[in-house]
Amino acid sequence: MSRQASISFFSLRRILIVAQSTVTQLVRMKVFYFLAPIALLFVGIQFLDLIWYQGAETLQPEQELRMHKNICLGTMMVFSSMFGIVATALLIPGDIEDRTLYTILCKPVPRFDYLVGKLLGVMAVIFIAMVVMDVLLVATLHFRTEEKLAEATQVWGKRGLTEVEIAAGRAEIAAHGPTLILQYGVMAHFLKASVIAAVALLISTFSTSTIFTIATSSMIWIIGSFQSVAREALFTDPISGGDPNMAERIMNTFVSLVFPDFKLFESITDGAVRAENVLHSDMTQLGGLAAIYVGIYVVLSWFVFSDKEF
Amino acid sequence: MRNFKTTRNLIVIVAVLCGTGYFRMPKEQKFMEDLRERKIAHPQIDSEIWSKMGQTSLAGTFGGLRSVMASFMSIGAFDHFENNDWYKLEKDFEVITALDPYNAYYWNTGAWHLGWNAASWARRNQRSEIETALKNGNEDFSPTKQRLLEMEFLEKGDAMYREGLKYNPASEELWFDRGAMWSNEYKRPDLERAAEAFRKLRNSPNPVYRRRYLLTIARIPGREIEAYEEMVRLVSDSDPRHFSTPTFRVLVLILGSNPELPDGALRPPVDVVYNNNLEKAYEELYNYWDRIKNDGFYAGNYKVLMKQLIDRLKVPDSLNPFVTEPKRPLYPSVWKREFEKRDRDSSAR
């Protein structure tokens, strides 16, 4: 039996080693320095008055908390998605450039393990960054919520509201504070960033330049955000205008079939910001969907990468 | 060979994505419909709104930052308010509300800018134009034409409230502010429209909101019996806060004094409503005179109620609205002063 044949197709240990080295590689690129301005922003908005239309009669604490969450989660989404694209796009060309790839592939490391390890490494770094940002978000939001609760309780007390009414109002404000639903929103951003990273991985396997990978992945990110518009045109009646013609139908079908739907991920985050009733089952479905996307892109990446010559 | 490989790879990638997409697509659609039904996902943006979006908001929307863009745009739109640039403000709020339609705050702010601020601006503008026209002897000037601008903004504000209520029917602030706009004496009150909005708040946990329907229909001629029934309903609420409002206390008396009420209807006597504090009752009924004359509140048997109190309290003519036209509200200090003056005059005589 040849040595090649004795190597198992998939080894978790090998994948974890590649992932670990990817994390080290990215940390050496000083990616976590990005967190400093983000931390500044999160702490900075704590002191910003986010509401214009506010007076004694228009107390809007929920709205202020919503704006706080919107800005923080928006920043997290941009950071994680951008990072997913750029980090993944840099990895394979980087490995070729510094010849690490040859060292790895000449060892008994199947290309599939290498790709999965690389992706897992990127996802791990995104995850760590998300955790740090999440801690910052929860901390700043907690202080703001407490501040708003105290303010509102004082105003309602002066207005002569009963204790039951004050308790109901407080519960409404607290629902916009750091809750489990908010964590679902953060998780949805992480899942979206993972899918984007997998897309970038697929493109980087056949791309010849980093810029091409970054540009194409960014375009897919944008198209993915309105893929649902194309898909819904196939399933539902148009809101306005006439029925789509044949060319539009073909276009809509192509976009719906080929591109991922990022709107689903964004919807969960939007719902979480509004403190809507996002269910655990929604997260399970979203997680499943993200796993399917990542699975498909990884398998396709492996297909392209398996016979790539260096 | 390399080109062949690239082409083959691309064909395989597209084929696999299409194949898996075929199975994935209905599931995604179902998931999205479910999220949309539960108001977790935003509704689709109308094609008309796409064309009104600027480059930044468009990019933000495509990047999945709809709510964030709405937040930033709402802060930016404040500049239009400061510059009285109402049409730009309207356009901005159309986009903002399309980006985040389940946020009642944006509908409320947009409607407040248009229905309250822009309409007031138009009214002020109109007044200065009338003054200039009169000064210049311009006979062609039509105040009616000028009034159209104010009405235009009021209607725009109302339209924004109504549209917002389609997405946020449970928003008490939207119902309340719409009603407040149409019942505002400094605008162009349309009490029927105000009542239509306040009606939705009859069971609100907020007693201020709960009372507004009564306070509005008590001003609409022909709805006195309905107002009486509403008053009885609120009295049966047993919320002591209703009775801490002077207008509510007076309305209990006034609506109960309606001669058209059927026999056996609840007609709370003044001593019960005011807990035997007749001076307080007189003071508030005296002040209600202005409400009848200027705000169109129902008068009921006002004269009889007042005359009974005048006799019982031996009110001096200076505080009798049927003898001396009330010019300002009656405060306890004025009441005390006038009574002392009457006593002094009578002892001097």
Side-chain angles (χ1 to χ4, degrees):
Chain A
M1 195 188 253
S2 70
R3 191 170 172 236
Q4 186 73 27
S6 66
I7 300 166
S8 62
F9 174 72
F10 180 86
S11 155
L12 191 63
R13 200 173 144 263
R14 272 196 308 260
I15 289 172
L16 288 177
I17 290 168
V18 177
Q20 199 181 357
S21 80
T22 309
V23 172
T24 314
Q25 199 179 347
L26 288 169
V27 171
R28 280 180 188 156
M29 288 179 184
K30 297 185 174 37
V31 287
F32 288 125
Y33 283 22
F34 269 111
L35 293 173
I38 288 173
L40 247 158
L41 174 80
F42 280 24
V43 176
I45 57 163
Q46 183 77 7
F47 303 102
L48 280 184
D49 206 358
L50 298 172
I51 299 282
W52 293 100
Y53 177 52
Q54 187 172 344
E57 305 211 335
T58 52
L59 198 69
Q60 305 262 10
E62 298 98 329
Q63 184 56 32
E64 198 165 338
L65 297 174
R66 262 165 91 155
M67 279 213 180
H68 185 114
K69 290 188 279 183
N70 257 341
I71 294 171
C72 292
L73 281 169
T75 311
M76 286 165 88
M77 193 273 272
V78 172
F79 170 80
S80 57
S81 302
M82 286 292 290
F83 184 81
I85 292 173
V86 177
T88 316
L90 285 171
L91 285 178
I92 299 176
D95 277 1
I96 296 171
E97 204 177 303
D98 56 24
R99 303 189 177 275
T100 324
L101 185 73
Y102 307 113
T103 325
I104 296 170
L105 294 184
C106 68
K107 287 183 177 151
V109 177
R111 293 186 176 198
F112 182 77
D113 287 8
Y114 170 76
L115 286 175
V116 175
K118 283 281 162 196
L119 185 65
L120 275 183
V122 174
M123 282 164 65
V125 173
I126 295 174
F127 184 78
I128 295 166
M130 292 290 271
V131 168
V132 174
M133 288 189 283
D134 191 29
V135 168
L136 274 168
L137 166 66
V138 168
T140 52
L141 191 64
H142 169 76
F143 284 116
R144 201 163 201 148
T145 311
E146 288 301 314
E147 190 192 336
K148 292 292 133 195
L149 280 171
E151 224 172 74
T153 310
Q154 199 184 1
V155 172
W156 291 332
K158 278 185 191 162
R159 282 188 197 166
L161 263 65
T162 62
E163 274 185 23
V164 178
E165 286 164 351
I166 292 177
R170 282 179 65 91
E172 229 169 273
I173 296 174
H176 284 273
T179 57
L180 178 68
I181 288 178
L182 180 69
Q183 294 309 309
Y184 286 162
V186 176
M187 220 181 286
H189 275 339
F190 170 70
L191 293 174
K192 182 183 168 185
S194 304
V195 175
I196 291 179
V199 169
L201 182 77
L202 169 61
I203 293 164
S204 71
T205 53
F206 59 83
S207 141
T208 46
S209 76
T210 310
I211 291 176
F212 175 81
T213 309
I214 293 173
T216 314
S217 307
S218 303
M219 285 313 295
I220 292 175
W221 172 17
I222 292 171
I223 295 170
S225 288
F226 68 100
Q227 183 256 41
S228 65
V229 177
R231 191 191 60 235
E232 285 183 69
L234 298 171
F235 281 88
T236 54
D237 294 330
I239 299 176
S240 55
D243 283 327
N245 58 35
M246 185 54 83
E248 284 170 343
R249 271 181 191 284
I250 292 169
M251 193 63 193
N252 287 340
T253 311
F254 179 76
V255 170
S256 313
L257 290 173
V258 172
F259 294 95
D261 181 6
F262 291 137
K263 184 81 189 292
L264 285 166
F265 298 86
E266 289 150 17
S267 298
I268 294 285
T269 315
D270 281 340
V273 168
R274 292 199 309 272
E276 294 287 352
N277 191 21
V278 179
L279 303 172
H280 184 69
S281 59
D282 295 330
M283 290 314 293
T284 315
Q285 274 199 73
L286 198 71
L289 193 67
I292 291 171
Y293 278 130
V294 172
I296 294 168
Y297 295 131
V298 167
V299 169
L300 286 174
S301 306
W302 168 71
F303 169 75
V304 178
F305 197 64
S306 59
D307 59 353
K308 188 166 177 156
E309 287 161 20
F310 299 100
Chain B
M1 185 63 189
R2 195 170 181 168
N3 279 346
F4 165 74
K5 258 191 183 174
T6 310
T7 317
R8 182 205 66 185
N9 288 345
L10 280 175
I11 290 169
V12 170
I13 288 170
V14 172
V16 170
L17 287 177
C18 285
T20 51
Y22 180 78
F23 294 103
R24 182 174 44 81
M25 207 163 64
K27 302 249 182 294
E28 283 177 349
Q29 180 62 19
K30 206 175 151 220
F31 189 23
M32 179 55 91
E33 278 168 10
D34 177 44
L35 291 178
R36 200 158 274 163
E37 209 178 290
R38 287 160 47 211
K39 292 192 170 181
I40 289 172
H42 286 132
Q44 276 188 52
I45 294 178
D46 197 275
S47 54
E48 212 178 289
I49 299 294
W50 286 121
S51 60
K52 287 182 182 172
M53 279 189 191
Q55 282 179 23
T56 323
S57 42
L58 208 61
T61 310
F62 284 160
L65 297 163
R66 267 176 79 159
S67 307
V68 186
M69 280 322 298
S71 296
F72 282 119
M73 275 186 82
S74 78
I75 294 170
F78 202 79
D79 285 347
H80 301 318
F81 165 52
E82 287 178 323
N83 301 328
N84 296 333
D85 216 336
W86 304 114
Y87 292 104
K88 276 189 186 165
L89 185 135
E90 183 194 4
K91 199 180 115 188
D92 272 11
F93 269 94
E94 277 177 6
V95 175
I96 293 165
T97 49
L99 289 174
D100 196 357
Y102 294 128
N103 192 338
Y105 170 79
Y106 296 135
W107 294 104
N108 215 346
T109 312
W112 170 66
H113 278 310
L114 294 171
W116 295 76
N117 300 328
S120 295
W121 170 85
R123 195 186 185 109
R124 203 174 56 238
N125 207 30
Q126 163 196 322
R127 200 185 304 141
S128 69
E129 288 205 26
I130 291 170
E131 280 164 9
T132 317
L134 289 173
K135 210 185 281 174
N136 299 337
N138 183 0
E139 287 174 6
D140 296 336
F141 180 80
S142 157
T144 317
K145 212 169 155 188
Q146 282 297 304
R147 201 171 297 149
L148 284 176
L149 186 64
E150 185 192 354
M151 283 309 294
E152 182 191 326
F153 285 122
L154 279 170
E155 290 296 346
K156 278 180 192 291
D158 184 64
M160 194 158 270
Y161 280 127
R162 278 185 285 123
E163 193 65 17
L165 284 163
K166 273 190 210 164
Y167 290 101
N168 307 281
S171 168
E172 294 200 338
E173 285 78 15
L174 278 177
W175 287 114
F176 184 80
D177 284 2
R178 182 178 175 235
M181 186 183 83
W182 286 122
S183 60
N184 191 308
E185 59 196 283
Y186 298 109
K187 298 201 165 290
R188 305 215 171 263
D190 185 335
L191 295 176
E192 289 291 353
R193 278 160 104 166
E196 181 196 318
F198 289 135
R199 194 183 168 81
K200 303 281 181 184
L201 300 170
R202 287 173 75 224
N203 297 314
S204 159
N206 184 339
V208 176
Y209 287 4
R210 263 201 321 268
R211 279 195 298 270
R212 280 305 283 265
Y213 181 60
L214 166 68
L215 298 179
T216 307
I217 55 172
R219 293 167 66 187
I220 304 176
R223 294 181 75 171
E224 298 82 16
I225 300 287
E226 197 189 335
Y228 168 81
E229 284 162 2
E230 184 62 16
M231 178 271 288
V232 173
R233 194 183 75 88
L234 286 171
V235 169
S236 64
D237 254 10
S238 308
D239 190 330
R241 284 170 297 182
H242 293 321
F243 278 96
S244 64
T245 314
T247 312
F248 183 81
R249 285 195 293 259
V250 176
L251 276 177
V252 171
L253 290 178
I254 295 287
L255 292 168
S257 74
N258 186 348
E260 284 171 27
L261 286 178
D263 292 339
L266 176 76
R267 292 172 191 270
V270 69
D271 310 71
V272 173
V273 175
Y274 283 91
N275 208 11
N276 291 321
N277 187 348
L278 295 185
E279 285 178 17
K280 183 84 183 158
Y282 188 79
E283 184 192 309
E284 287 180 2
L285 275 164
Y286 179 93
N287 293 338
Y288 190 70
W289 175 276
D290 181 62
R291 304 288 248 165
I292 297 170
K293 278 191 80 178
N294 296 325
D295 300 339
F297 268 85
Y298 176 57
N301 237 343
Y302 182 77
K303 264 189 187 169
V304 174
L305 282 167
M306 279 298 271
K307 282 189 173 155
Q308 280 171 359
L309 284 172
I310 289 168
D311 290 344
R312 284 172 75 180
L313 294 166
K314 298 191 175 40
V315 176
D317 284 352
S318 59
L319 295 179
N320 181 342
F322 304 111
V323 177
T324 314
E325 175 83 9
K327 287 201 176 103
R328 56 181 71 89
L330 175 57
Y331 297 112
S333 57
V334 180
W335 173 267
K336 199 177 159 195
R337 195 182 62 218
E338 290 297 322
F339 265 75
E340 280 170 1
K341 198 175 150 199
R342 184 200 63 180
D343 293 344
R344 258 198 326 269
D345 289 352
S346 58
S347 61
R349 246 182 258 137

